[in-house]
Amino acid sequence: MPDLLQIGGITDDMRTRLEERFTIHKVGDDYPADAITHIVTNGHDGVPGPVLEACKNAKVAASYGVGYDAIDTDACVARGVLVTHTPDVLNEEVATTAIMLMLTSYRNFLSDEAHARSGAWERDGNAPLSRSADGRRVGILGLGRIGLAIADKLKAFGTDIHYHTRSAKDVPYTYHANLVDMAAAVDVIICITPGGPATHHLVNADVLNALGAEGTLINVSRGSVVDEAALVSALQDGRLGYAALDVFEEEPKIPDALKSMSNVVLLPHVGSATHETRAAMGNLVVDNLLSHLDTGRVVTPVPECAHLNPA
Ligand code: NAP
Ligand code: 8YV
């Protein structure tokens, strides 16, 4: 059987399917680098440079996740390694996470829940009023597969939808070519672009200032998209009102300042983390690897590697 290198964790279902066709080696163990033809990894661990260099005969690196900013695709292409990812199967889940972050922030459900659970309701009376999430102006930063799913779900809340991307799309939403202009025009920004150098600190102090003292920043993209230091200082100064975050610059570290703020909602990068969606992602990872074994083609190459996938 061909040799597969495992970087990071895989689910039991993935292991069961992969063990039928591959001999699996783990990256921390002593593995036969020259024999490795396939790699399985994820959006956090990527493929470290020394591993890519050692696995000279690798043909495919299949990543468990849609975002692949942790993988050096140029280096992979240079070595003829086809990188795959898991688009589409997680659109609805991540969109739901974004909506839940927005609703939680507006409706103050975390402190309301604590109020009910702690007995404060009986002792001190009703919880404070919160802000309505209905009828808001929301700017989606990145209107791709997941951004479009977010827009669809927002319609249920009577949202006025705006977006910023590098090029305008054929959609019935308000396009802003300039992100600061969009920030000034909306109540909420939801970040859902890819990570990597092209989007690094796209949300900077100017964007946060334009979003303003009543504004809400939601990030379900990558921590690198938001200048975290600028975010902390905007929240501390009251220049930005609220934030709801699933992703951070130095995961799993979250700045203590954010942890101490009651106007901030924090999640540990769980945008796609349900049994159902992770199973679909795992199946697509394995489908890519098995398809390559059986046909020489993969199912979902990343765009940078599409030319390595035979027609
Ligand atoms: P996608 O379909 O490729 O969409 C990306 C969107 O971002 C496009 O609309 C693109 O439009 C826009 N964009 C790219 N670069 C930009 C830039 N420099 N400035 C402004 N807009 C830019 O990607 P997707 O499948 O929706 O996934 C998006 C990202 O979500 C992933 O890459 C991943 O990082 C993140 N994600 C997070 C979680 C989580 O658990 N929190 C889960 C899944 C995905 P233009 O090309 O026209 O600019
Ligand atoms: C996962 C994600 O947390 O798909 C992505 O880009 O961020 C999430 O779905 C992660 O990639 C799992 O490896």
Side-chain angles (χ1 to χ4, degrees):
M1 289 203 290
D3 292 274
L4 174 125
L5 183 65
Q6 177 192 330
I7 302 175
I10 57 174
T11 66
D12 291 344
D13 287 346
M14 288 167 77
R15 178 173 304 285
T16 302
R17 286 185 69 200
L18 289 171
E19 275 174 349
E20 287 172 11
R21 303 292 302 279
F22 290 100
T23 301
I24 302 179
H25 307 271
K26 288 194 182 160
V27 82
D29 300 342
D30 196 15
Y31 64 90
D34 285 347
I36 300 296
T37 51
H38 294 76
I39 296 171
V40 63
T41 185
N42 61 72
H44 305 284
D45 296 305
V47 183
V51 172
L52 187 63
E53 204 163 307
C55 297
K56 294 187 169 39
N57 296 308
K59 293 283 166 260
V60 176
S63 186
Y64 177 70
V66 67
Y68 54 94
D69 46 300
I71 301 179
D72 183 344
T73 50
D74 288 345
C76 289
V77 168
R79 292 178 178 275
V81 176
L82 219 170
V83 178
T84 74
H85 64 152
T86 62
D88 291 319
V89 294
L90 40 55
N91 293 352
E92 298 305 324
E93 208 69 74
V94 181
T96 298
T97 303
I99 303 291
M100 287 175 71
L101 279 173
M102 179 176 155
L103 299 183
T104 307
S105 176
Y106 266 90
R107 294 297 310 277
N108 242 345
F109 278 161
L110 294 180
S111 62
D112 281 356
E113 210 270 351
H115 194 81
R117 189 183 291 268
S118 66
W121 189 19
E122 294 108 289
R123 200 175 50 246
D124 308 328
N126 289 339
L129 299 182
S130 62
R131 304 172 299 148
S132 176
D134 288 286
R136 295 292 175 181
R137 296 166 299 169
V138 175
I140 303 177
L141 170 54
L143 197 74
R145 292 170 290 245
I146 301 171
L148 284 167
I150 292 171
D152 279 345
K153 288 183 198 256
L154 281 173
K155 288 177 196 159
F157 298 94
T159 306
D160 177 14
I161 298 170
H162 300 234
Y163 71 102
H164 168 71
T165 48
R166 289 167 299 184
S167 60
K169 317 292 173 203
D170 185 17
V171 289
Y173 311 130
T174 307
Y175 178 63
H176 297 266
N178 181 292
L179 179 55
V180 174
D181 290 348
M182 180 172 86
V186 299
D187 303 307
V188 182
I189 285 182
I190 299 179
C191 306
I192 189 64
T193 61
T199 56
H200 186 257
H201 288 190
L202 214 52
V203 176
N204 56 21
D206 291 342
V207 174
L208 299 170
N209 290 341
L211 191 52
E214 292 302 316
T216 302
L217 180 80
I218 295 173
N219 190 6
V220 286
S221 59
R222 284 290 182 264
S224 60
V225 175
V226 175
D227 180 339
E228 211 164 68
L231 174 65
V232 168
S233 106
L235 287 163
Q236 280 171 336
D237 299 352
R239 283 179 283 111
L240 176 71
Y242 309 84
L245 311 166
D246 183 44
V247 288
F248 304 88
E249 288 206 71
E250 303 289 341
E251 293 179 8
K253 288 192 188 138
I254 299 178
D256 286 339
L258 289 176
K259 290 183 193 156
S260 68
M261 293 178 189
S262 60
N263 51 346
V264 171
V265 179
L266 302 169
L267 293 179
H269 200 146
V270 291
S272 66
T274 63
H275 292 294
E276 296 83 354
T277 295
R278 288 294 170 85
M281 291 163 63
N283 277 331
L284 186 48
V285 170
V286 178
D287 289 349
N288 271 300
L289 291 164
L290 300 192
S291 170
H292 187 260
L293 278 191
D294 294 336
T295 70
R297 277 180 61 76
V298 300
V299 187
T300 47
V302 302
E304 293 85 343
C305 293
H307 64 287
L308 297 177
N309 207 22

